[in-house]
Amino acid sequence: MEFLSDSVVLSRMQFALTALFHMLWPVLTTGMGIYLVIVEGVWLKTRNPDYYLHARFWSKFYVLNFGIGVATGIPMEFQFGTNWSRFSEAAGNFFGSVIGFEASWAFMLEAAFLGIMLFGWERVNPIIHYVSTILVAVGANLSTLWILTANSWMQTPAGGELVNGKFIVHDYFAAIANPFMKNSVLHMFFATLETSLFVIGGISAWYILNRRHEAFFSKSLKIALAAAIAVAPLQIYIGHLSGEQVYHYQPSKLAAMEAQWETTPAGQSADWSLLAIPNDKAQKNDWEITVPNALGYILEFKQKLTYPVRGLSEWKPEDRPHMIGLIYYAFRIMIGIGFFFAGLMLLSVLQWLRGKLSAENIAQQRWLMRAWVFAAPLGYIAVDSGWIVRCVGRQPWIVYGQIRTVDGASNIPASNVLVSLTSFAVVYSILFVGVLYFGSRIIRRGPNLELPVPGIEPDRPAVDTTPAEFVPDERPVEAQQ
C-alpha cells in the first residue's frame, strides 16, 4: 500500500477516475446531438409526426447526459490547477488557451441554445428551433475538437520548444495541427457517434422486445442502422490510421499495446500477439497465442516491416510504460468492440434487405434485438479503453518526450489527495446511481405519443351539420304567445 503515501500516484488515480467517469456523458451528447439534427430535419421535410415525437423523446437523454457532463467536467479541469500545477505552469501558454477555447467556443455555444432546443418547440419558429438544435450539436462536437487538440499536443508536442522549463509557442497553428490532431479528432468523433447510434438502437430494440411501440421504435432503430453502415467501417479505418501514427511517433506505446519485448528489425516479418499474459518484472510474456507474420499486415498491409518495431527491452524501465497488461487488453477490448459493431451492422443490414425489419416483422427478430440491447453499453467500454491506451501508454511522460508526469504534479501532501480521491469516488458513485435511476425512468415511461405536434390541429369532436327536422308547435295559441 505504498501508493497511499505517493501524491503523484494518487493524483494520477484521481484524474483517471474523474476523466473516465466524465467521458461517459459527453460521448452520448456529442453523438446524439447529430441524431437529433437528423430526426428533426426529417420531420421538417416530411411533416411526419413520428419524427417530431422521436426528437422530443431522445432529447430527454441528451439533457440528462449534458447535466452530468457539466457537473463532472468542471472538477476534472480544476485538477490542472490543484494537482497538476507544475504542468500547467510549464505548458499553459498553449494548453491553457486550448482548454479555454473549449469553454468559450464549445460549451457556451451549446449552453446558449440548449434552452431553445428543449423548451422552444411551440414558442419559436420551427426553422429557428432547428437552427438551435444544429448549433447545440455543433457546440457539443467543438468540445471534442478542442479537447482532442489539447490531448494530441500532449502526445506529439509541436509548434514550439521548452525554454527554462516552459513551453514557448513559435507557431500556434503548428501546435494545434500537431501530428496526432487530425486522426485523433476523427477517431473520437466517430467513437461518440457510433456509441450514440448503438445506444439509441439498443434502447429501441428493448422496446421492440417488450412489444411496446414496435412501429415507432423500428424507425429509430433503422435510422441508427443506416448511419452505422457508414460509421462502423469508417471508425475501424480511422482507428487503423491512429495505430499507424503510434507506430511512427510513439514506439514505446506500440510495444506496450502489443506486449512486444524484443525488437523486430525492418525488412522482417513479425508475429501478432492475439492473447498474452505480460510479465513486466521479467520483461517477457508468460504465455501467449500469436498469429504468424500478421503484425506487418496490421501495421502496413504487407508481411515485411518497412520500419522496425522496437521492443520494450530497448528502453530503461523508467523510460517506458508500465502496467503492460492493462494497456494490452484495453487495446484489444477496444478493437474487439469495434469489429463487433461492424458485424452486428452487417447482420442487421442483411435482415433489413430480407424484409425482416419491417414494422410487422421486426418483433420476431428476437435474437437480433437482444444483440442490439447487448451492444448498447459496449461503446462506453470501448471509449474508456481507448483513453486508457492513449494516456497510460504515454507514460512516463505527461508531454511525450519533454515533460515527465512526476515533474508535472503539484507538491501537495498525499493525505490531501487521498481525501479528495475518496470524496470523488463517493460523489460520483451517487451520481452514477442517480443517472441510472432517471435514465431507467425515462425508458420505463416511454415516449408521450399524445404530444401536440406543431402545425397539426388536435382532433376535435365532429360537428353534426345535418339540417334539423321541423317540428310544429302543438301548444294552444294562447300559450304560444
Side-chain angles (χ1 to χ4, degrees):
M1 304 291 283
E2 294 181 1
F3 70 92
L4 293 178
S5 59
D6 190 329
S7 64
V8 176
V9 172
L10 291 173
S11 291
R12 288 183 62 193
M13 292 174 62
Q14 178 174 292
F15 196 86
L17 169 67
T18 55
L20 293 176
F21 186 78
H22 168 71
M23 199 61 61
L24 299 173
W25 319 115
V27 161
L28 193 68
T29 56
T30 50
M32 188 171 283
I34 296 174
Y35 182 86
L36 293 175
V37 169
I38 293 172
V39 292
E40 187 173 348
V42 174
W43 170 64
L44 290 174
K45 178 70 174 178
T46 65
R47 290 296 173 175
N48 184 329
D50 276 358
Y51 295 107
Y52 169 80
L53 297 173
H54 271 296
R56 296 295 300 268
F57 175 69
W58 295 109
S59 64
K60 296 177 183 179
F61 292 96
Y62 186 98
V63 71
L64 176 63
N65 282 264
F66 177 83
I68 300 298
V70 172
T72 57
I74 294 174
M76 187 179 72
E77 292 193 355
F78 279 178
Q79 289 176 81
F80 291 119
T82 57
N83 296 72
W84 303 98
S85 58
R86 290 194 290 174
F87 161 71
S88 298
E89 184 178 2
N93 287 340
F94 175 76
F95 189 85
S97 300
V98 175
I99 295 298
F101 290 160
E102 190 269 336
S104 59
W105 289 31
F107 175 70
M108 291 302 175
L109 177 64
E110 186 179 10
F113 288 92
L114 181 64
I116 299 175
M117 188 189 84
L118 294 176
F119 306 112
W121 286 103
E122 298 178 7
R123 294 178 173 86
V124 300
N125 182 280
I127 299 300
I128 298 298
H129 187 278
Y130 188 49
V131 170
S132 299
T133 303
I134 292 172
L135 291 175
V136 168
V138 170
N141 284 276
L142 277 176
S143 288
T144 301
L145 169 66
W146 291 119
I147 293 299
L148 267 294
T149 296
N151 187 268
S152 296
W153 178 83
M154 295 168 68
Q155 307 284 340
T156 50
E161 61 180 337
L162 277 177
V163 178
N164 297 325
K166 291 188 178 181
F167 188 82
I168 305 301
V169 181
H170 297 318
D171 187 337
Y172 211 88
F173 291 104
I176 290 175
N178 60 81
F180 263 32
M181 181 266 191
K182 182 183 72 172
N183 287 336
S184 295
V185 170
L186 287 174
H187 197 36
M188 190 63 192
F189 168 76
F190 283 113
T192 61
L193 186 53
E194 189 172 37
T195 298
S196 300
L197 292 175
F198 281 90
V199 167
I200 292 167
I203 293 174
S204 300
W206 182 87
Y207 281 104
I208 294 168
L209 277 172
N210 287 276
R211 301 283 182 159
R212 293 179 60 185
H213 315 300
E214 295 101 307
F216 182 79
F217 282 105
S218 69
K219 292 181 178 178
S220 54
L221 178 61
K222 288 176 183 176
I223 293 173
L225 175 56
I229 292 172
V231 171
L234 276 173
Q235 176 68 327
I236 292 173
Y237 176 67
I238 297 296
H240 168 73
L241 295 181
S242 298
E244 282 186 341
Q245 289 187 320
V246 172
Y247 178 29
H248 295 298
Y249 290 97
Q250 295 182 328
S252 62
K253 180 188 288 187
L254 177 64
M257 289 161 55
E258 300 298 341
Q260 179 105 0
W261 298 96
E262 302 299 328
T263 297
T264 302
Q268 294 188 13
S269 58
D271 298 343
W272 177 62
S273 175
L274 178 64
L275 295 172
I277 301 178
N279 187 330
D280 201 348
K281 292 183 179 180
Q283 297 194 37
K284 68 182 183 69
N285 296 328
D286 291 337
W287 170 89
E288 66 180 331
I289 300 175
T290 61
V291 180
N293 305 322
L295 187 58
Y297 289 107
I298 293 172
L299 293 174
E300 303 181 30
F301 298 114
K302 62 181 184 178
Q303 181 176 337
K304 295 186 178 180
L305 298 165
T306 303
Y307 306 97
V309 174
R310 298 173 64 186
L312 288 165
S313 60
E314 280 205 18
W315 287 272
K316 296 178 180 179
E318 62 270 20
D319 292 335
R320 64 167 176 82
H322 292 277
M323 294 189 284
I324 306 302
L326 175 64
I327 300 168
Y328 178 87
Y329 279 104
F331 178 63
R332 276 148 183 77
I333 288 170
M334 177 184 65
I335 60 174
I337 291 172
F339 279 99
F340 175 80
F341 281 163
L344 179 57
M345 177 272 293
L346 289 172
L347 284 173
S348 301
V349 169
L350 178 62
Q351 293 298 91
W352 195 357
L353 293 175
R354 295 174 61 197
K356 301 296 185 179
L357 299 189
S358 64
E360 298 78 19
N361 298 326
I362 194 169
Q364 300 171 12
Q365 307 302 308
R366 299 188 67 81
W367 63 270
L368 186 61
M369 295 302 103
R370 290 192 183 99
W372 275 88
V373 173
F374 174 76
L378 296 184
Y380 297 107
I381 298 172
V383 168
D384 272 358
S385 296
W387 278 97
I388 288 171
V389 173
R390 188 176 180 87
C391 296
V392 179
R394 189 187 64 229
Q395 300 305 314
W397 308 98
I398 193 168
V399 178
Y400 191 79
Q402 298 198 25
I403 304 174
R404 290 180 178 270
T405 302
V406 69
D407 296 327
S410 301
N411 186 17
I412 51 178
S415 57
N416 291 12
V417 186
L418 184 59
V419 169
S420 60
L421 171 60
T422 305
S423 302
F424 275 122
V426 172
V427 173
Y428 282 11
S429 297
I430 295 171
L431 285 176
F432 187 69
V433 172
V435 171
L436 291 180
Y437 170 75
F438 286 108
S440 62
R441 189 170 74 167
I442 293 171
I443 294 173
R444 287 195 306 271
R445 289 184 174 181
N448 182 2
L449 302 183
E450 304 301 322
L451 277 175
V453 179
I456 298 180
E457 291 291 330
D459 293 334
R460 296 178 180 176
V463 178
D464 187 2
T465 58
T466 305
E469 180 182 358
F470 174 74
V471 179
D473 193 342
E474 298 179 354
R475 293 175 299 167
V477 175
E478 296 81 1
Q480 295 181 26
Q481 297 176 348

